[in-house]
Amino acid sequence: DGGITQSPKYLFRKEGQNVTLSCEQNLNHDAMYWYRQDPGQGLRLIYYSQIVNDFQKGDIAEGYSVSREKKESFPLTVTSAQKNPTAFYLCASSIASGSNQPQHFGDGTRLSIL
Amino acid sequence: GDSVTQMEGPVTLSEEAFLTINCTYTATGYPSLFWYVQYPGEGLQLLLKATKADDKGSNKGFEATYRKETTSFHLEKGSVQVSDSAVYFCALRGVGGTSYGKLTFGQGTILTVHP
Protein backbone atom coordinates (compact mmCIF):
# COMPACT_ATOMS: atom_id res chain seq x y z
CA ASP A 1 0.00 0.00 0.00
CA GLY A 2 1.18 3.52 -0.76
CA GLY A 3 1.79 5.87 2.10
CA ILE A 4 4.16 7.82 4.29
CA THR A 5 6.30 6.10 6.91
CA GLN A 6 7.79 8.01 9.80
CA SER A 7 10.27 6.50 12.23
CA PRO A 8 10.82 6.13 15.03
CA LYS A 9 7.40 6.58 16.64
CA TYR A 10 9.03 7.78 19.88
CA LEU A 11 12.43 9.44 20.24
CA PHE A 12 14.35 10.80 23.19
CA ARG A 13 17.06 13.42 22.98
CA LYS A 14 19.77 14.28 25.46
CA GLU A 15 21.00 17.80 26.02
CA GLY A 16 23.39 18.93 23.27
CA GLN A 17 22.51 16.04 20.99
CA ASN A 18 21.31 16.15 17.39
CA VAL A 19 18.63 13.66 16.41
CA THR A 20 17.26 12.74 12.99
CA LEU A 21 13.65 11.87 12.21
CA SER A 22 13.01 9.71 9.18
CA CYS A 23 10.27 10.24 6.60
CA GLU A 24 9.81 7.99 3.57
CA GLN A 25 7.00 8.05 0.99
CA ASN A 26 6.16 5.66 -1.84
CA LEU A 27 3.42 7.82 -3.35
CA ASN A 28 5.73 9.28 -6.02
CA HIS A 29 4.95 12.76 -4.68
CA ASP A 30 7.20 15.67 -5.60
CA ALA A 31 6.56 17.85 -2.56
CA MET A 32 7.31 16.95 1.05
CA TYR A 33 6.80 18.86 4.31
CA TRP A 34 7.70 18.80 7.98
CA TYR A 35 5.36 20.19 10.65
CA ARG A 36 5.63 20.60 14.36
CA GLN A 37 2.51 20.12 16.51
CA ASP A 38 2.23 21.56 20.01
CA PRO A 39 -0.91 21.35 22.17
CA GLY A 40 -3.39 24.11 21.35
CA GLN A 41 -1.26 25.57 18.55
CA GLY A 42 -2.19 23.49 15.55
CA LEU A 43 0.55 22.64 13.05
CA ARG A 44 3.44 24.89 12.16
CA LEU A 45 5.58 24.43 9.05
CA ILE A 46 9.27 23.79 9.66
CA TYR A 47 10.65 23.06 6.16
CA TYR A 48 9.30 22.01 2.80
CA SER A 49 10.73 20.66 -0.43
CA GLN A 50 9.15 20.94 -3.86
CA ILE A 51 11.71 18.84 -5.70
CA VAL A 52 14.81 16.74 -5.11
CA ASN A 53 17.88 18.69 -3.97
CA ASP A 54 15.79 21.76 -3.14
CA PHE A 55 14.09 22.87 0.08
CA GLN A 56 12.83 26.07 1.73
CA LYS A 57 12.40 27.26 5.28
CA GLY A 58 8.94 27.35 6.73
CA ASP A 59 7.69 29.46 9.62
CA ILE A 60 9.83 27.92 12.40
CA ALA A 61 13.03 26.60 10.74
CA GLU A 62 15.50 27.77 13.41
CA GLY A 63 17.21 24.83 15.12
CA TYR A 64 16.23 22.37 12.39
CA SER A 65 17.85 21.12 9.18
CA VAL A 66 16.70 18.90 6.30
CA SER A 67 17.99 17.23 3.16
CA ARG A 68 16.27 15.95 0.02
CA GLU A 69 18.72 13.70 -1.80
CA LYS A 70 16.04 11.28 -2.99
CA LYS A 71 12.47 11.88 -4.07
CA GLU A 72 11.06 9.44 -1.53
CA SER A 73 13.03 10.62 1.51
CA PHE A 74 12.99 13.87 3.52
CA PRO A 75 14.78 13.45 6.88
CA LEU A 76 14.58 16.15 9.56
CA THR A 77 17.43 16.81 11.99
CA VAL A 78 16.61 18.49 15.27
CA THR A 79 19.84 20.17 16.30
CA SER A 80 21.09 21.16 19.74
CA ALA A 81 20.27 24.76 18.78
CA GLN A 82 16.55 23.94 19.08
CA LYS A 83 16.02 24.73 22.77
CA ASN A 84 12.46 23.46 23.04
CA PRO A 85 12.28 20.37 20.83
CA THR A 86 9.62 18.44 22.76
CA ALA A 87 6.72 18.11 20.32
CA PHE A 88 4.92 15.83 17.89
CA TYR A 89 6.52 15.97 14.42
CA LEU A 90 4.50 15.23 11.30
CA CYS A 91 5.76 14.62 7.80
CA ALA A 92 3.51 15.12 4.77
CA SER A 93 3.69 14.89 1.00
CA SER A 94 1.64 16.03 -1.99
CA ILE A 95 1.62 15.66 -5.76
CA ALA A 96 2.98 19.18 -6.29
CA SER A 97 3.27 22.14 -3.98
CA GLY A 98 1.34 24.44 -6.31
CA SER A 99 -1.66 22.22 -6.95
CA ASN A 100 -4.93 22.07 -5.04
CA GLN A 101 -4.29 18.47 -4.09
CA PRO A 102 -4.30 17.65 -0.38
CA GLN A 103 -1.28 16.74 1.66
CA HIS A 104 -0.99 13.18 2.95
CA PHE A 105 0.43 12.68 6.44
CA GLY A 106 2.50 10.09 8.25
CA ASP A 107 1.66 8.88 11.76
CA GLY A 108 4.19 11.18 13.40
CA THR A 109 7.20 11.00 15.71
CA ARG A 110 6.95 12.13 19.32
CA LEU A 111 10.21 13.70 20.50
CA SER A 112 10.97 14.18 24.18
CA ILE A 113 13.93 15.47 26.17
CA LEU A 114 15.70 13.19 28.63
CA GLY B 1 -0.52 36.49 5.38
CA ASP B 2 -2.96 33.61 5.28
CA SER B 3 -4.70 32.59 8.49
CA VAL B 4 -7.37 30.16 9.70
CA THR B 5 -9.49 30.58 12.81
CA GLN B 6 -11.47 27.71 14.31
CA MET B 7 -13.97 27.75 17.12
CA GLU B 8 -12.32 26.99 20.42
CA GLY B 9 -12.92 23.65 22.01
CA PRO B 10 -13.19 21.27 23.49
CA VAL B 11 -16.62 20.36 22.16
CA THR B 12 -18.51 17.69 24.09
CA LEU B 13 -21.65 16.11 22.62
CA SER B 14 -23.92 13.17 23.22
CA GLU B 15 -24.19 10.48 20.58
CA GLU B 16 -26.59 11.38 17.72
CA ALA B 17 -26.31 15.11 18.43
CA PHE B 18 -25.75 17.67 15.65
CA LEU B 19 -22.20 18.93 15.21
CA THR B 20 -20.96 22.27 13.92
CA ILE B 21 -17.33 23.38 14.09
CA ASN B 22 -16.85 26.89 12.78
CA CYS B 23 -13.93 27.83 10.56
CA THR B 24 -13.17 31.20 8.98
CA TYR B 25 -10.16 32.21 6.95
CA THR B 26 -8.15 35.13 5.59
CA ALA B 27 -6.35 34.60 2.30
CA THR B 28 -5.56 36.15 -1.06
CA GLY B 29 -7.61 34.98 -4.02
CA TYR B 30 -9.42 31.65 -3.98
CA PRO B 31 -7.59 29.17 -1.77
CA SER B 32 -8.47 25.49 -1.53
CA LEU B 33 -10.03 24.52 1.82
CA PHE B 34 -9.68 21.29 3.76
CA TRP B 35 -10.83 19.56 6.93
CA TYR B 36 -8.45 17.05 8.47
CA VAL B 37 -9.13 14.69 11.40
CA GLN B 38 -6.55 13.40 13.89
CA TYR B 39 -7.23 10.40 16.09
CA PRO B 40 -5.16 9.97 19.29
CA GLY B 41 -1.50 9.22 18.60
CA GLU B 42 -1.90 9.34 14.85
CA GLY B 43 -1.19 11.67 11.96
CA LEU B 44 -3.77 13.73 10.12
CA GLN B 45 -6.26 12.20 7.69
CA LEU B 46 -8.00 14.20 5.02
CA LEU B 47 -11.73 14.33 5.82
CA LEU B 48 -13.03 16.50 2.98
CA LYS B 49 -12.05 19.36 0.70
CA ALA B 50 -13.45 22.13 -1.50
CA THR B 51 -11.48 23.94 -4.16
CA LYS B 52 -13.79 26.73 -5.32
CA ALA B 53 -16.58 28.94 -4.03
CA ASP B 54 -19.92 27.21 -3.29
CA ASP B 55 -18.31 23.75 -3.52
CA LYS B 56 -19.55 21.33 -0.87
CA GLY B 57 -17.13 18.72 0.40
CA SER B 58 -18.57 15.62 2.05
CA ASN B 59 -17.32 12.37 3.51
CA LYS B 60 -18.49 9.90 6.20
CA GLY B 61 -21.56 12.03 6.96
CA PHE B 62 -19.52 15.21 7.41
CA GLU B 63 -20.13 18.23 5.16
CA ALA B 64 -18.63 21.68 4.66
CA THR B 65 -19.48 24.38 2.12
CA TYR B 66 -16.94 26.89 0.76
CA ARG B 67 -18.53 30.31 1.40
CA LYS B 68 -16.51 33.04 -0.28
CA GLU B 69 -18.83 35.84 0.85
CA THR B 70 -18.35 34.99 4.53
CA THR B 71 -14.84 33.44 4.12
CA SER B 72 -16.05 30.39 6.00
CA PHE B 73 -15.87 26.60 5.75
CA HIS B 74 -17.88 25.29 8.70
CA LEU B 75 -17.88 21.54 9.38
CA GLU B 76 -21.22 19.85 10.09
CA LYS B 77 -22.54 16.39 10.82
CA GLY B 78 -26.16 15.55 11.49
CA SER B 79 -25.64 12.72 13.99
CA VAL B 80 -22.28 12.15 15.65
CA GLN B 81 -20.99 8.83 16.93
CA VAL B 82 -18.55 7.98 19.71
CA SER B 83 -16.05 7.00 17.00
CA ASP B 84 -16.04 10.61 15.75
CA SER B 85 -14.15 11.69 18.88
CA ALA B 86 -10.93 13.24 17.57
CA VAL B 87 -9.23 16.56 16.86
CA TYR B 88 -10.47 18.39 13.76
CA PHE B 89 -8.31 20.84 11.80
CA CYS B 90 -9.45 23.35 9.23
CA ALA B 91 -6.76 24.27 6.69
CA LEU B 92 -6.31 26.32 3.55
CA ARG B 93 -3.90 26.02 0.65
CA GLY B 94 -2.82 29.45 -0.49
CA VAL B 95 -2.54 30.64 -4.08
CA GLY B 96 -1.02 34.07 -3.76
CA GLY B 97 2.59 35.25 -3.56
CA THR B 98 4.81 33.48 -1.07
CA SER B 99 1.87 31.47 0.33
CA TYR B 100 1.46 29.57 -2.93
CA GLY B 101 0.91 25.87 -2.23
CA LYS B 102 1.51 26.20 1.51
CA LEU B 103 -1.00 24.71 3.96
CA THR B 104 -2.09 26.96 6.81
CA PHE B 105 -3.87 25.25 9.72
CA GLY B 106 -6.28 26.37 12.38
CA GLN B 107 -5.46 25.50 15.96
CA GLY B 108 -7.65 22.40 16.01
CA THR B 109 -10.90 21.60 17.82
CA ILE B 110 -11.13 18.64 20.18
CA LEU B 111 -14.42 16.76 19.85
CA THR B 112 -15.56 14.26 22.49
CA VAL B 113 -18.75 12.27 21.93
CA HIS B 114 -20.32 10.43 24.87
CA PRO B 115 -22.63 7.39 24.53
Side-chain angles (χ1 to χ4, degrees), chain A residues 9 33 35 37 40-43 45 59 88 90 94 96-103 105-107, chain B residues 32 34 36 38 41-46 49 51 87 89 93 98 100-103 105-108:
Chain A
K9 192 170 179 67
Y33 311 81
Y35 293 91
Q37 185 178 18
Q41 294 192 44
L43 277 70
L45 183 65
D59 299 318
F88 191 50
L90 287 161
S94 67
S97 65
S99 76
N100 62 6
Q101 294 300 310
Q103 293 179 13
F105 285 80
D107 284 339
Chain B
S32 296
F34 306 89
Y36 283 87
Q38 184 180 34
E42 297 183 8
L44 275 66
Q45 301 175 25
L46 178 67
K49 71 174 185 178
T51 58
V87 183
F89 291 93
R93 190 155 195 177
T98 58
Y100 189 58
K102 173 185 168 184
L103 264 186
F105 286 87
Q107 73 271 32

Short mmCIF file of all heavy atoms in Angstrom, two decimals, chain A residues 9 33 35 37 40-43 45 59 88 90 94 96-103 105-107, chain B residues 32 34 36 38 41-46 49 51 87 89 93 98 100-103 105-108:
data_model
loop_
_atom_site.label_atom_id
_atom_site.label_comp_id
_atom_site.label_asym_id
_atom_site.label_seq_id
_atom_site.Cartn_x
_atom_site.Cartn_y
_atom_site.Cartn_z
N LYS A 9 8.66 6.03 16.14
CA LYS A 9 7.40 6.58 16.64
C LYS A 9 7.66 7.45 17.86
O LYS A 9 7.00 8.46 18.08
CB LYS A 9 6.45 5.44 17.00
CG LYS A 9 5.02 5.90 17.26
CD LYS A 9 4.09 4.71 17.37
CE LYS A 9 2.65 5.15 17.65
NZ LYS A 9 2.08 5.87 16.52
N TYR A 33 6.92 17.82 3.29
CA TYR A 33 6.80 18.86 4.31
C TYR A 33 7.08 18.28 5.69
O TYR A 33 6.80 17.12 5.96
CB TYR A 33 5.37 19.42 4.33
CG TYR A 33 4.81 19.81 2.99
CD1 TYR A 33 4.27 18.85 2.13
CD2 TYR A 33 4.80 21.13 2.58
CE1 TYR A 33 3.76 19.19 0.89
CE2 TYR A 33 4.28 21.48 1.33
CZ TYR A 33 3.77 20.51 0.51
OH TYR A 33 3.26 20.86 -0.71
N TYR A 35 6.11 19.34 9.74
CA TYR A 35 5.36 20.19 10.65
C TYR A 35 5.69 19.82 12.08
O TYR A 35 5.99 18.67 12.40
CB TYR A 35 3.85 19.99 10.46
CG TYR A 35 3.31 20.45 9.14
CD1 TYR A 35 3.23 19.58 8.06
CD2 TYR A 35 2.85 21.75 8.97
CE1 TYR A 35 2.71 19.99 6.84
CE2 TYR A 35 2.33 22.17 7.76
CZ TYR A 35 2.28 21.29 6.69
OH TYR A 35 1.76 21.70 5.49
N GLN A 37 3.81 19.96 15.85
CA GLN A 37 2.51 20.12 16.51
C GLN A 37 2.71 20.23 18.00
O GLN A 37 3.28 19.34 18.64
CB GLN A 37 1.59 18.94 16.19
CG GLN A 37 0.19 19.11 16.74
CD GLN A 37 -0.73 17.96 16.39
OE1 GLN A 37 -0.30 16.88 16.01
NE2 GLN A 37 -2.03 18.18 16.51
N GLY A 40 -2.68 22.84 21.46
CA GLY A 40 -3.39 24.11 21.35
C GLY A 40 -2.85 25.07 20.31
O GLY A 40 -3.35 26.19 20.20
N GLN A 41 -1.85 24.65 19.54
CA GLN A 41 -1.26 25.57 18.55
C GLN A 41 -1.39 25.08 17.13
O GLN A 41 -0.85 25.67 16.23
CB GLN A 41 0.22 25.80 18.85
CG GLN A 41 0.46 26.54 20.15
CD GLN A 41 1.91 27.00 20.26
OE1 GLN A 41 2.48 27.52 19.31
NE2 GLN A 41 2.50 26.81 21.43
N GLY A 42 -2.08 23.99 16.90
CA GLY A 42 -2.19 23.49 15.55
C GLY A 42 -0.84 23.04 15.02
O GLY A 42 0.05 22.68 15.78
N LEU A 43 -0.69 23.07 13.70
CA LEU A 43 0.55 22.64 13.05
C LEU A 43 1.30 23.85 12.51
O LEU A 43 0.70 24.75 11.92
CB LEU A 43 0.23 21.70 11.89
CG LEU A 43 0.00 20.23 12.22
CD1 LEU A 43 -1.31 20.04 12.96
CD2 LEU A 43 0.01 19.40 10.95
N LEU A 45 4.70 24.94 10.09
CA LEU A 45 5.58 24.43 9.05
C LEU A 45 7.04 24.71 9.37
O LEU A 45 7.41 25.85 9.62
CB LEU A 45 5.20 25.05 7.70
CG LEU A 45 5.96 24.58 6.47
CD1 LEU A 45 5.68 23.11 6.20
CD2 LEU A 45 5.59 25.45 5.27
N ASP A 59 7.90 28.39 8.64
CA ASP A 59 7.69 29.46 9.62
C ASP A 59 8.59 29.35 10.85
O ASP A 59 8.84 30.34 11.53
CB ASP A 59 6.23 29.45 10.07
CG ASP A 59 5.29 29.70 8.91
OD1 ASP A 59 5.60 30.57 8.07
OD2 ASP A 59 4.25 29.02 8.83
N PHE A 88 5.32 16.89 18.80
CA PHE A 88 4.92 15.83 17.89
C PHE A 88 5.25 16.31 16.48
O PHE A 88 4.83 17.40 16.08
CB PHE A 88 3.42 15.57 18.05
CG PHE A 88 2.90 14.34 17.38
CD1 PHE A 88 3.52 13.11 17.55
CD2 PHE A 88 1.76 14.38 16.59
CE1 PHE A 88 3.03 11.97 16.94
CE2 PHE A 88 1.26 13.24 15.98
CZ PHE A 88 1.89 12.03 16.15
N LEU A 90 5.26 15.87 12.37
CA LEU A 90 4.50 15.23 11.30
C LEU A 90 5.13 15.54 9.96
O LEU A 90 5.46 16.68 9.65
CB LEU A 90 3.06 15.73 11.31
CG LEU A 90 2.20 15.19 12.45
CD1 LEU A 90 0.98 16.06 12.66
CD2 LEU A 90 1.78 13.76 12.17
N SER A 94 2.72 15.76 -1.04
CA SER A 94 1.64 16.03 -1.99
C SER A 94 2.18 15.93 -3.40
O SER A 94 3.39 15.93 -3.63
CB SER A 94 1.01 17.40 -1.74
OG SER A 94 1.94 18.43 -2.03
N ALA A 96 2.15 18.03 -5.92
CA ALA A 96 2.98 19.18 -6.29
C ALA A 96 2.61 20.31 -5.35
O ALA A 96 1.46 20.44 -4.95
CB ALA A 96 2.76 19.60 -7.74
N SER A 97 3.54 21.12 -4.98
CA SER A 97 3.27 22.14 -3.98
C SER A 97 2.30 23.19 -4.49
O SER A 97 1.62 23.81 -3.72
CB SER A 97 4.57 22.82 -3.54
OG SER A 97 5.14 23.52 -4.63
N GLY A 98 2.22 23.40 -5.78
CA GLY A 98 1.34 24.44 -6.31
C GLY A 98 -0.03 23.98 -6.70
O GLY A 98 -0.84 24.76 -7.17
N SER A 99 -0.37 22.73 -6.52
CA SER A 99 -1.66 22.22 -6.95
C SER A 99 -2.68 22.35 -5.81
O SER A 99 -2.34 22.70 -4.70
CB SER A 99 -1.55 20.76 -7.36
OG SER A 99 -1.46 19.94 -6.21
N ASN A 100 -3.91 22.04 -6.09
CA ASN A 100 -4.93 22.07 -5.04
C ASN A 100 -5.14 20.68 -4.44
O ASN A 100 -6.15 20.43 -3.80
CB ASN A 100 -6.23 22.66 -5.58
CG ASN A 100 -6.78 21.81 -6.72
OD1 ASN A 100 -6.26 20.73 -7.01
ND2 ASN A 100 -7.84 22.28 -7.33
N GLN A 101 -4.18 19.81 -4.66
CA GLN A 101 -4.29 18.47 -4.09
C GLN A 101 -3.95 18.51 -2.60
O GLN A 101 -3.13 19.31 -2.16
CB GLN A 101 -3.33 17.52 -4.80
CG GLN A 101 -3.70 17.30 -6.25
CD GLN A 101 -5.08 16.71 -6.38
OE1 GLN A 101 -5.41 15.72 -5.73
NE2 GLN A 101 -5.91 17.32 -7.21
N PRO A 102 -4.57 17.64 -1.82
CA PRO A 102 -4.30 17.65 -0.38
C PRO A 102 -2.93 17.08 -0.05
O PRO A 102 -2.31 16.40 -0.87
CB PRO A 102 -5.40 16.74 0.17
CG PRO A 102 -5.70 15.80 -0.94
CD PRO A 102 -5.55 16.62 -2.20
N GLN A 103 -2.48 17.36 1.13
CA GLN A 103 -1.28 16.74 1.66
C GLN A 103 -1.66 15.46 2.39
O GLN A 103 -2.69 15.40 3.06
CB GLN A 103 -0.54 17.70 2.59
CG GLN A 103 0.03 18.90 1.85
CD GLN A 103 0.75 19.86 2.77
OE1 GLN A 103 1.05 19.55 3.92
NE2 GLN A 103 1.06 21.05 2.26
N PHE A 105 -0.41 12.64 5.25
CA PHE A 105 0.43 12.68 6.44
C PHE A 105 0.87 11.30 6.90
O PHE A 105 0.14 10.31 6.74
CB PHE A 105 -0.33 13.36 7.59
CG PHE A 105 -0.43 14.84 7.44
CD1 PHE A 105 -1.37 15.41 6.60
CD2 PHE A 105 0.44 15.68 8.13
CE1 PHE A 105 -1.45 16.78 6.45
CE2 PHE A 105 0.36 17.05 7.99
CZ PHE A 105 -0.58 17.61 7.15
N GLY A 106 2.07 11.26 7.51
CA GLY A 106 2.50 10.09 8.25
C GLY A 106 1.89 10.06 9.63
O GLY A 106 1.12 10.97 9.99
N ASP A 107 2.24 9.05 10.41
CA ASP A 107 1.66 8.88 11.76
C ASP A 107 2.42 9.63 12.83
O ASP A 107 2.04 9.58 14.00
CB ASP A 107 1.59 7.40 12.12
CG ASP A 107 0.45 6.70 11.41
OD1 ASP A 107 -0.50 7.41 10.98
OD2 ASP A 107 0.48 5.47 11.29
N SER B 32 -7.78 26.75 -1.76
CA SER B 32 -8.47 25.49 -1.53
C SER B 32 -8.62 25.29 -0.02
O SER B 32 -7.75 25.69 0.76
CB SER B 32 -7.67 24.33 -2.12
OG SER B 32 -7.58 24.44 -3.52
N PHE B 34 -9.72 22.69 3.35
CA PHE B 34 -9.68 21.29 3.76
C PHE B 34 -10.12 21.16 5.22
O PHE B 34 -9.92 22.07 6.03
CB PHE B 34 -8.26 20.73 3.65
CG PHE B 34 -7.62 20.89 2.30
CD1 PHE B 34 -6.90 22.03 1.99
CD2 PHE B 34 -7.73 19.90 1.35
CE1 PHE B 34 -6.30 22.19 0.75
CE2 PHE B 34 -7.15 20.04 0.10
CZ PHE B 34 -6.43 21.19 -0.19
N TYR B 36 -9.19 18.24 8.11
CA TYR B 36 -8.45 17.05 8.47
C TYR B 36 -8.93 16.57 9.85
O TYR B 36 -9.33 17.39 10.68
CB TYR B 36 -6.95 17.34 8.55
CG TYR B 36 -6.25 17.44 7.21
CD1 TYR B 36 -6.21 18.66 6.52
CD2 TYR B 36 -5.62 16.34 6.65
CE1 TYR B 36 -5.55 18.76 5.30
CE2 TYR B 36 -4.95 16.44 5.43
CZ TYR B 36 -4.93 17.65 4.78
OH TYR B 36 -4.27 17.74 3.56
N GLN B 38 -7.68 14.08 13.24
CA GLN B 38 -6.55 13.40 13.89
C GLN B 38 -7.06 12.59 15.06
O GLN B 38 -7.58 13.15 16.03
CB GLN B 38 -5.52 14.43 14.36
CG GLN B 38 -4.27 13.79 14.96
CD GLN B 38 -3.26 14.83 15.42
OE1 GLN B 38 -3.62 15.91 15.88
NE2 GLN B 38 -1.99 14.52 15.28
N GLY B 41 -2.77 9.86 18.92
CA GLY B 41 -1.50 9.22 18.60
C GLY B 41 -1.23 9.01 17.14
O GLY B 41 -0.25 8.33 16.79
N GLU B 42 -2.07 9.56 16.29
CA GLU B 42 -1.90 9.34 14.85
C GLU B 42 -1.65 10.64 14.10
O GLU B 42 -1.73 11.73 14.66
CB GLU B 42 -3.15 8.66 14.28
CG GLU B 42 -3.42 7.29 14.86
CD GLU B 42 -4.63 6.63 14.22
OE1 GLU B 42 -5.18 7.17 13.24
OE2 GLU B 42 -5.03 5.56 14.72
N GLY B 43 -1.33 10.49 12.81
CA GLY B 43 -1.19 11.67 11.96
C GLY B 43 -2.54 12.19 11.54
O GLY B 43 -3.58 11.76 12.05
N LEU B 44 -2.54 13.13 10.60
CA LEU B 44 -3.77 13.73 10.12
C LEU B 44 -4.29 12.96 8.91
O LEU B 44 -3.52 12.56 8.04
CB LEU B 44 -3.54 15.19 9.72
CG LEU B 44 -3.63 16.23 10.83
CD1 LEU B 44 -2.53 16.05 11.83
CD2 LEU B 44 -3.60 17.63 10.23
N GLN B 45 -5.61 12.81 8.85
CA GLN B 45 -6.26 12.20 7.69
C GLN B 45 -7.16 13.23 7.04
O GLN B 45 -7.88 13.95 7.73
CB GLN B 45 -7.11 11.00 8.12
CG GLN B 45 -6.36 9.90 8.82
CD GLN B 45 -7.30 8.81 9.31
OE1 GLN B 45 -8.39 8.62 8.77
NE2 GLN B 45 -6.89 8.10 10.34
N LEU B 46 -7.12 13.28 5.73
CA LEU B 46 -8.00 14.20 5.02
C LEU B 46 -9.45 13.74 5.20
O LEU B 46 -9.78 12.58 4.93
CB LEU B 46 -7.66 14.24 3.54
CG LEU B 46 -8.56 15.13 2.69
CD1 LEU B 46 -8.36 16.59 3.06
CD2 LEU B 46 -8.28 14.90 1.20
N LYS B 49 -12.67 18.17 1.26
CA LYS B 49 -12.05 19.36 0.70
C LYS B 49 -13.03 20.06 -0.24
O LYS B 49 -14.01 19.48 -0.71
CB LYS B 49 -10.78 19.01 -0.06
CG LYS B 49 -11.02 18.27 -1.36
CD LYS B 49 -9.70 18.09 -2.12
CE LYS B 49 -9.94 17.47 -3.50
NZ LYS B 49 -8.69 17.32 -4.28
N THR B 51 -12.51 23.18 -3.45
CA THR B 51 -11.48 23.94 -4.16
C THR B 51 -11.99 25.22 -4.80
O THR B 51 -11.18 26.01 -5.30
CB THR B 51 -10.82 23.07 -5.24
OG1 THR B 51 -11.83 22.62 -6.14
CG2 THR B 51 -10.12 21.88 -4.61
N VAL B 87 -9.53 15.15 17.05
CA VAL B 87 -9.23 16.56 16.86
C VAL B 87 -9.45 16.90 15.38
O VAL B 87 -8.97 16.17 14.50
CB VAL B 87 -7.78 16.91 17.26
CG1 VAL B 87 -7.54 18.40 17.12
CG2 VAL B 87 -7.50 16.46 18.69
N PHE B 89 -9.08 19.69 12.26
CA PHE B 89 -8.31 20.84 11.80
C PHE B 89 -8.89 21.37 10.50
O PHE B 89 -9.06 20.61 9.54
CB PHE B 89 -6.85 20.48 11.56
CG PHE B 89 -6.07 20.16 12.79
CD1 PHE B 89 -5.94 18.85 13.24
CD2 PHE B 89 -5.45 21.17 13.52
CE1 PHE B 89 -5.22 18.55 14.38
CE2 PHE B 89 -4.72 20.88 14.66
CZ PHE B 89 -4.61 19.57 15.09
N ARG B 93 -5.09 26.09 1.50
CA ARG B 93 -3.90 26.02 0.65
C ARG B 93 -3.87 27.29 -0.18
O ARG B 93 -4.74 27.50 -1.03
CB ARG B 93 -3.95 24.79 -0.24
CG ARG B 93 -2.65 24.54 -0.96
CD ARG B 93 -2.51 23.08 -1.30
NE ARG B 93 -1.15 22.77 -1.66
CZ ARG B 93 -0.73 21.56 -1.95
NH1 ARG B 93 -1.58 20.55 -1.93
NH2 ARG B 93 0.51 21.34 -2.28
N THR B 98 3.95 34.45 -1.74
CA THR B 98 4.81 33.48 -1.07
C THR B 98 4.01 32.36 -0.40
O THR B 98 4.57 31.37 0.06
CB THR B 98 5.68 34.16 0.00
OG1 THR B 98 4.81 34.82 0.93
CG2 THR B 98 6.61 35.17 -0.62
N TYR B 100 1.91 30.48 -1.91
CA TYR B 100 1.46 29.57 -2.93
C TYR B 100 1.79 28.13 -2.58
O TYR B 100 2.93 27.77 -2.38
CB TYR B 100 2.11 29.94 -4.26
CG TYR B 100 1.55 29.19 -5.44
CD1 TYR B 100 0.20 29.26 -5.76
CD2 TYR B 100 2.36 28.42 -6.25
CE1 TYR B 100 -0.32 28.59 -6.84
CE2 TYR B 100 1.86 27.74 -7.35
CZ TYR B 100 0.51 27.83 -7.64
OH TYR B 100 0.01 27.17 -8.72
N GLY B 101 0.73 27.29 -2.50
CA GLY B 101 0.91 25.87 -2.23
C GLY B 101 1.08 25.52 -0.76
O GLY B 101 1.02 24.36 -0.41
N LYS B 102 1.26 26.50 0.10
CA LYS B 102 1.51 26.20 1.51
C LYS B 102 0.19 25.95 2.22
O LYS B 102 -0.79 26.62 1.97
CB LYS B 102 2.24 27.39 2.13
CG LYS B 102 2.43 27.33 3.62
CD LYS B 102 3.05 28.63 4.10
CE LYS B 102 2.99 28.74 5.60
NZ LYS B 102 3.50 30.04 6.08
N LEU B 103 0.18 24.97 3.14
CA LEU B 103 -1.00 24.71 3.96
C LEU B 103 -0.91 25.52 5.25
O LEU B 103 0.10 25.47 5.94
CB LEU B 103 -1.10 23.24 4.33
CG LEU B 103 -1.97 22.31 3.48
CD1 LEU B 103 -2.02 20.93 4.12
CD2 LEU B 103 -3.37 22.85 3.31
N PHE B 105 -2.92 25.97 8.88
CA PHE B 105 -3.87 25.25 9.72
C PHE B 105 -4.48 26.14 10.79
O PHE B 105 -3.83 27.06 11.30
CB PHE B 105 -3.17 24.09 10.43
CG PHE B 105 -2.84 22.93 9.53
CD1 PHE B 105 -1.65 22.90 8.82
CD2 PHE B 105 -3.71 21.87 9.41
CE1 PHE B 105 -1.35 21.84 7.99
CE2 PHE B 105 -3.42 20.80 8.59
CZ PHE B 105 -2.24 20.79 7.87
N GLY B 106 -5.71 25.83 11.16
CA GLY B 106 -6.28 26.37 12.38
C GLY B 106 -5.70 25.63 13.56
O GLY B 106 -4.91 24.69 13.41
N GLN B 107 -6.09 26.05 14.76
CA GLN B 107 -5.46 25.50 15.96
C GLN B 107 -6.02 24.15 16.36
O GLN B 107 -5.50 23.50 17.27
CB GLN B 107 -5.58 26.49 17.13
CG GLN B 107 -6.98 26.59 17.72
CD GLN B 107 -7.81 27.64 17.03
OE1 GLN B 107 -7.67 27.89 15.84
NE2 GLN B 107 -8.71 28.26 17.78
N GLY B 108 -7.06 23.70 15.69
CA GLY B 108 -7.65 22.40 16.01
C GLY B 108 -8.76 22.51 17.03
O GLY B 108 -8.72 23.36 17.93
#
